[in-house]
Amino acid sequence: DAKTTQPTSMDCAEGRAANLPCNHSTISGNEYVYWYRQIHSQGPQYIIHGLKNNETNEMASLIITEDRKSSTLILPHATLRDTAVYYCIVRVAWKAHAGNMLTFGGGTRLMVKP
Amino acid sequence: EAGVVQSPRYKIIEKKQPVAFWCNPISGHNTLYWYRQNLGQGPELLIRYENEEAVDDSQLPKDRFSAERLKGVDSTLKIQPAELGDSAVYLCASSSSPPTQYFGPGTRLTVL
């Protein structure tokens, strides 16, 4: 699996957009970019995933560069409840491929401040 | 839709004692995972089940850890005997469309 690099921590003002970067320069053509987050004392929560096109859902937007070597998770209007550790994970999406285990790195600790 | 249920949420035991964690996955999810998360780190996979079959337990310390998933639904993870280094959060996750996984709240184990 391709490795990912994320900043250790970031701050964001409440109500502003939070832009969380992730580098995955060794990503393969069949690997997706997944984002999960973990709020304190809770289990990780799936946010969004994408292959090459930008994706948007009710939680966030995912922007993947054209060369797919990096991506940005965007929380358009961050709230205090978005304070969490955000994990960027690169993984193939075949069910038969090693169970599609998720390998979590250290993630980015996002602090949303009033 | 009910999420992944885990119990207990917290457990404090003395070293060398046994301990067990229980997980009820989301209905219809055939794949079940157990992870361990040490303080300040991301979760690490211990074992994965496809229905009742353990298909990946390479990271499970088999000398003291065991797991089962009878009837392919609920699962239990056991440690016997527990050591100080086993203190961590034990997370259960389930999936119907890997690798999108849904996690439970976890069990925080403290070994004294």
Side-chain angles (χ1 to χ4, degrees):
Chain A
D1 297 332
K3 293 186 177 180
T4 62
T5 304
Q6 298 178 253
T8 302
S9 63
M10 293 181 63
D11 290 345
C12 177
E14 186 179 20
R16 305 296 293 268
N19 298 294
L20 293 93
C22 180
N23 286 321
H24 31 79
S25 59
T26 61
I27 192 170
S28 299
N30 61 353
E31 290 182 313
Y32 286 69
V33 180
Y34 282 78
W35 283 84
Y36 280 74
R37 74 178 182 183
Q38 188 171 22
I39 295 170
H40 183 62
S41 296
Q42 297 183 23
Q45 175 190 25
Y46 166 80
I47 301 174
I48 198 168
H49 74 281
L51 182 62
K52 58 178 73 173
N53 297 321
N54 298 336
E55 301 288 343
T56 296
N57 62 20
E58 65 277 5
M59 291 183 67
S61 294
L62 174 60
I63 309 298
I64 303 174
T65 58
E66 190 170 347
D67 62 8
R68 303 207 327 119
K69 293 185 177 181
S70 66
S71 61
T72 301
L73 179 73
I74 300 173
L75 308 178
H77 305 286
T79 70
L80 299 179
R81 289 175 294 180
D82 292 322
T83 293
V85 177
Y86 287 77
Y87 296 100
C88 171
I89 301 167
V90 174
R91 198 68 179 90
V92 295
W94 313 332
K95 181 177 174 68
H97 184 79
N100 290 283
M101 296 181 296
L102 297 174
T103 302
F104 290 84
T108 295
R109 187 172 298 277
L110 176 68
M111 179 71 72
V112 180
K113 298 183 175 181
Chain B
E1 176 182 273
V4 176
V5 179
Q6 290 188 250
S7 70
R9 288 297 312 277
Y10 305 91
K11 189 73 175 179
I12 300 174
I13 61 172
E14 295 187 346
K15 63 180 180 181
K16 300 184 181 181
Q17 294 299 307
V19 65
F21 315 122
W22 176 79
C23 172
N24 180 242
I26 293 173
S27 178
H29 283 193
N30 296 329
T31 309
L32 184 146
Y33 310 79
W34 282 102
Y35 289 83
R36 176 170 59 188
Q37 185 171 25
N38 293 313
L39 188 64
Q41 299 180 20
E44 297 176 319
L45 181 73
L46 292 174
I47 189 169
R48 172 176 70 93
Y49 281 92
E50 291 290 344
N51 297 304
E52 66 272 13
E53 182 181 1
V55 295
D56 187 348
D57 61 356
S58 58
Q59 302 301 314
L60 190 73
K62 298 181 181 63
D63 57 335
R64 298 182 299 107
F65 285 65
S66 65
E68 62 181 10
R69 190 184 184 196
L70 300 176
K71 300 182 180 179
V73 182
D74 295 2
S75 178
T76 56
L77 177 68
K78 299 178 182 178
I79 308 174
Q80 183 171 10
E83 297 179 352
L84 295 177
D86 295 331
S87 294
V89 175
Y90 291 83
L91 293 159
C92 178
S94 69
S95 176
S96 61
S97 303
T100 303
Q101 299 176 18
Y102 298 88
F103 286 78
T107 296
R108 182 176 297 277
L109 174 66
T110 301
V111 182
L112 302 176

